[in-house]
Each structure stands twice: as C-alpha cells, then as structure tokens.
Short mmCIF file of all heavy atoms in Angstrom, two decimals:
data_model
loop_
_atom_site.label_atom_id
_atom_site.label_comp_id
_atom_site.label_asym_id
_atom_site.label_seq_id
_atom_site.Cartn_x
_atom_site.Cartn_y
_atom_site.Cartn_z
N ASN A 1 2.25 -15.99 -6.88
CA ASN A 1 0.89 -16.15 -6.25
C ASN A 1 0.63 -15.30 -5.08
O ASN A 1 -0.18 -15.56 -4.25
CB ASN A 1 0.60 -17.63 -5.99
CG ASN A 1 0.53 -18.45 -7.21
OD1 ASN A 1 0.14 -18.01 -8.28
ND2 ASN A 1 0.90 -19.73 -7.01
N ILE A 2 1.51 -14.17 -4.89
CA ILE A 2 1.31 -13.26 -3.78
C ILE A 2 0.52 -12.10 -4.31
O ILE A 2 1.04 -11.45 -5.19
CB ILE A 2 2.63 -12.86 -3.25
CG1 ILE A 2 3.45 -14.08 -2.75
CG2 ILE A 2 2.50 -11.88 -2.06
CD1 ILE A 2 4.96 -13.72 -2.35
N PRO A 3 -0.56 -11.72 -3.68
CA PRO A 3 -1.25 -10.51 -4.09
C PRO A 3 -0.33 -9.24 -4.07
O PRO A 3 0.30 -8.94 -2.97
CB PRO A 3 -2.40 -10.35 -3.03
CG PRO A 3 -2.63 -11.79 -2.54
CD PRO A 3 -1.24 -12.34 -2.56
N THR A 4 -0.15 -8.54 -5.11
CA THR A 4 0.75 -7.41 -5.23
C THR A 4 0.14 -6.30 -5.92
O THR A 4 -0.60 -6.49 -6.96
CB THR A 4 1.99 -7.89 -6.08
OG1 THR A 4 2.57 -9.07 -5.51
CG2 THR A 4 3.14 -6.84 -6.06
N ARG A 5 0.43 -5.13 -5.47
CA ARG A 5 -0.08 -3.89 -6.09
C ARG A 5 0.99 -2.81 -6.04
O ARG A 5 1.87 -2.69 -5.23
CB ARG A 5 -1.41 -3.42 -5.54
CG ARG A 5 -1.21 -2.68 -4.13
CD ARG A 5 -2.65 -2.24 -3.64
NE ARG A 5 -2.51 -1.33 -2.53
CZ ARG A 5 -2.49 -1.71 -1.27
NH1 ARG A 5 -2.50 -2.97 -0.97
NH2 ARG A 5 -2.52 -0.80 -0.29
N ALA A 6 0.90 -1.95 -7.03
CA ALA A 6 1.77 -0.81 -7.25
C ALA A 6 1.04 0.43 -7.00
O ALA A 6 0.01 0.68 -7.58
CB ALA A 6 2.46 -0.75 -8.63
N GLU A 7 1.53 1.32 -6.07
CA GLU A 7 0.83 2.56 -5.73
C GLU A 7 1.75 3.75 -6.04
O GLU A 7 2.94 3.71 -5.91
CB GLU A 7 0.62 2.58 -4.15
CG GLU A 7 -0.52 1.61 -3.64
CD GLU A 7 -1.82 2.31 -3.62
OE1 GLU A 7 -1.96 3.44 -4.01
OE2 GLU A 7 -2.69 1.66 -2.95
N ILE A 8 1.08 4.80 -6.54
CA ILE A 8 1.72 6.11 -6.80
C ILE A 8 1.97 6.71 -5.43
O ILE A 8 1.02 6.88 -4.69
CB ILE A 8 0.85 7.00 -7.68
CG1 ILE A 8 0.68 6.31 -9.10
CG2 ILE A 8 1.54 8.34 -7.85
CD1 ILE A 8 -0.24 7.04 -9.93
N ALA A 9 3.14 7.03 -5.13
CA ALA A 9 3.47 7.48 -3.73
C ALA A 9 2.77 8.78 -3.36
O ALA A 9 2.27 8.86 -2.24
CB ALA A 9 5.01 7.74 -3.67
N SER A 10 2.59 9.65 -4.25
CA SER A 10 1.83 10.82 -3.85
C SER A 10 0.41 10.66 -3.60
O SER A 10 -0.29 11.50 -2.89
CB SER A 10 1.95 11.91 -5.01
OG SER A 10 1.43 11.36 -6.30
N GLU A 11 -0.25 9.55 -4.07
CA GLU A 11 -1.54 9.21 -3.77
C GLU A 11 -1.58 8.35 -2.51
O GLU A 11 -2.36 8.49 -1.51
CB GLU A 11 -2.22 8.40 -4.95
CG GLU A 11 -2.43 9.18 -6.15
CD GLU A 11 -3.52 10.20 -5.87
OE1 GLU A 11 -4.58 9.97 -5.32
OE2 GLU A 11 -3.30 11.36 -6.44
N PHE A 12 -0.64 7.38 -2.37
CA PHE A 12 -0.60 6.51 -1.19
C PHE A 12 -0.50 7.32 0.07
O PHE A 12 -1.14 6.96 1.07
CB PHE A 12 0.62 5.58 -1.35
CG PHE A 12 0.86 4.83 -0.11
CD1 PHE A 12 0.13 3.67 0.13
CD2 PHE A 12 1.87 5.16 0.77
CE1 PHE A 12 0.38 2.90 1.32
CE2 PHE A 12 2.16 4.39 1.89
CZ PHE A 12 1.38 3.24 2.14
N ARG A 13 0.39 8.32 0.15
CA ARG A 13 0.60 9.07 1.45
C ARG A 13 -0.60 9.79 1.93
O ARG A 13 -0.69 10.10 3.10
CB ARG A 13 1.78 10.04 1.22
CG ARG A 13 1.47 11.27 0.28
CD ARG A 13 2.63 12.08 0.09
NE ARG A 13 3.07 12.74 1.38
CZ ARG A 13 4.01 13.77 1.46
NH1 ARG A 13 4.64 14.14 0.40
NH2 ARG A 13 4.31 14.29 2.63
N TYR A 14 -1.58 10.05 1.05
CA TYR A 14 -2.80 10.80 1.55
C TYR A 14 -4.05 9.89 1.55
O TYR A 14 -5.11 10.41 1.72
CB TYR A 14 -3.03 12.06 0.69
CG TYR A 14 -1.93 13.09 0.85
CD1 TYR A 14 -1.02 13.39 -0.20
CD2 TYR A 14 -1.76 13.75 2.10
CE1 TYR A 14 -0.02 14.31 0.05
CE2 TYR A 14 -0.79 14.63 2.28
CZ TYR A 14 0.15 14.92 1.36
OH TYR A 14 1.06 15.84 1.49
N LYS A 15 -3.87 8.58 1.32
CA LYS A 15 -4.98 7.68 1.43
C LYS A 15 -4.96 7.05 2.82
O LYS A 15 -3.92 7.04 3.43
CB LYS A 15 -4.85 6.47 0.36
CG LYS A 15 -5.12 6.91 -1.05
CD LYS A 15 -4.73 5.84 -1.94
CE LYS A 15 -5.38 4.52 -1.72
NZ LYS A 15 -5.00 3.43 -2.62
N HIS A 16 -6.11 6.65 3.21
CA HIS A 16 -6.15 5.89 4.47
C HIS A 16 -5.96 4.41 4.06
O HIS A 16 -6.86 3.57 4.04
CB HIS A 16 -7.49 5.99 5.12
CG HIS A 16 -7.62 5.28 6.48
ND1 HIS A 16 -6.84 5.61 7.53
CD2 HIS A 16 -8.43 4.20 6.76
CE1 HIS A 16 -7.14 4.71 8.59
NE2 HIS A 16 -8.12 3.92 8.09
N THR A 17 -4.68 4.05 3.89
CA THR A 17 -4.29 2.67 3.47
C THR A 17 -3.94 1.88 4.69
O THR A 17 -3.07 2.28 5.53
CB THR A 17 -3.17 2.71 2.54
OG1 THR A 17 -3.44 3.51 1.30
CG2 THR A 17 -2.80 1.30 2.04
N VAL A 18 -4.59 0.79 4.75
CA VAL A 18 -4.23 -0.16 5.94
C VAL A 18 -3.42 -1.22 5.35
O VAL A 18 -3.72 -1.96 4.46
CB VAL A 18 -5.56 -0.80 6.55
CG1 VAL A 18 -5.18 -1.78 7.60
CG2 VAL A 18 -6.47 0.36 7.03
N ILE A 19 -2.13 -1.29 5.93
CA ILE A 19 -1.21 -2.25 5.39
C ILE A 19 -1.36 -3.66 6.21
O ILE A 19 -1.21 -3.56 7.54
CB ILE A 19 0.20 -1.79 5.51
CG1 ILE A 19 0.38 -0.54 4.69
CG2 ILE A 19 1.24 -2.87 5.02
CD1 ILE A 19 1.74 0.15 4.72
N ALA A 20 -1.82 -4.65 5.63
CA ALA A 20 -2.09 -5.89 6.30
C ALA A 20 -0.87 -6.53 6.87
O ALA A 20 0.29 -6.22 6.45
CB ALA A 20 -2.61 -6.88 5.33
N PRO A 21 -0.90 -7.28 7.99
CA PRO A 21 0.22 -7.93 8.60
C PRO A 21 0.92 -8.82 7.48
O PRO A 21 0.32 -9.28 6.57
CB PRO A 21 -0.35 -8.86 9.66
CG PRO A 21 -1.69 -8.15 10.01
CD PRO A 21 -2.25 -7.56 8.71
N LYS A 22 2.24 -8.99 7.68
CA LYS A 22 3.05 -9.81 6.80
C LYS A 22 3.02 -9.31 5.29
O LYS A 22 3.18 -10.01 4.37
CB LYS A 22 2.64 -11.31 6.77
CG LYS A 22 2.73 -11.98 8.10
CD LYS A 22 2.34 -13.44 8.08
CE LYS A 22 2.46 -14.12 9.36
NZ LYS A 22 2.08 -15.58 9.35
N THR A 23 2.98 -7.87 5.29
CA THR A 23 3.13 -7.19 3.95
C THR A 23 4.55 -6.78 3.77
O THR A 23 5.13 -6.18 4.70
CB THR A 23 2.20 -6.00 3.85
OG1 THR A 23 0.78 -6.52 3.90
CG2 THR A 23 2.45 -5.26 2.53
N LEU A 24 5.08 -7.12 2.61
CA LEU A 24 6.46 -6.55 2.29
C LEU A 24 6.23 -5.27 1.45
O LEU A 24 5.51 -5.33 0.41
CB LEU A 24 7.24 -7.51 1.43
CG LEU A 24 8.58 -7.06 0.90
CD1 LEU A 24 9.59 -6.76 1.94
CD2 LEU A 24 9.16 -8.17 -0.15
N VAL A 25 6.78 -4.13 1.92
CA VAL A 25 6.65 -2.89 1.20
C VAL A 25 7.92 -2.51 0.49
O VAL A 25 8.99 -2.46 1.16
CB VAL A 25 6.26 -1.76 2.19
CG1 VAL A 25 6.19 -0.45 1.41
CG2 VAL A 25 4.89 -2.05 2.79
#
C-alpha cells in the first residue's frame, strides 16, 4: 500500500522531479 513508481533513468535525470520526504529511492 505504498505509492510506488518506476522511472526510466535517462528521463528522470532531466525532469524537474520533486522527491517527497520519506521517499525510498
């Protein structure tokens, strides 16, 4: 029940992604 998503690294690195507190990467 934890919100989870998979990101393509080459896209993630150039997005303005805000990582919420208490996020496990």
Side-chain angles (χ1 to χ4, degrees):
N1 295 330
I2 302 171
T4 306
R5 74 181 194 273
E7 287 266 10
I8 298 172
S10 57
E11 291 295 317
F12 171 80
R13 68 182 295 189
Y14 293 114
K15 286 169 60 180
H16 180 67
T17 301
V18 177
I19 300 177
K22 297 184 179 180
T23 296
L24 174 65
V25 176

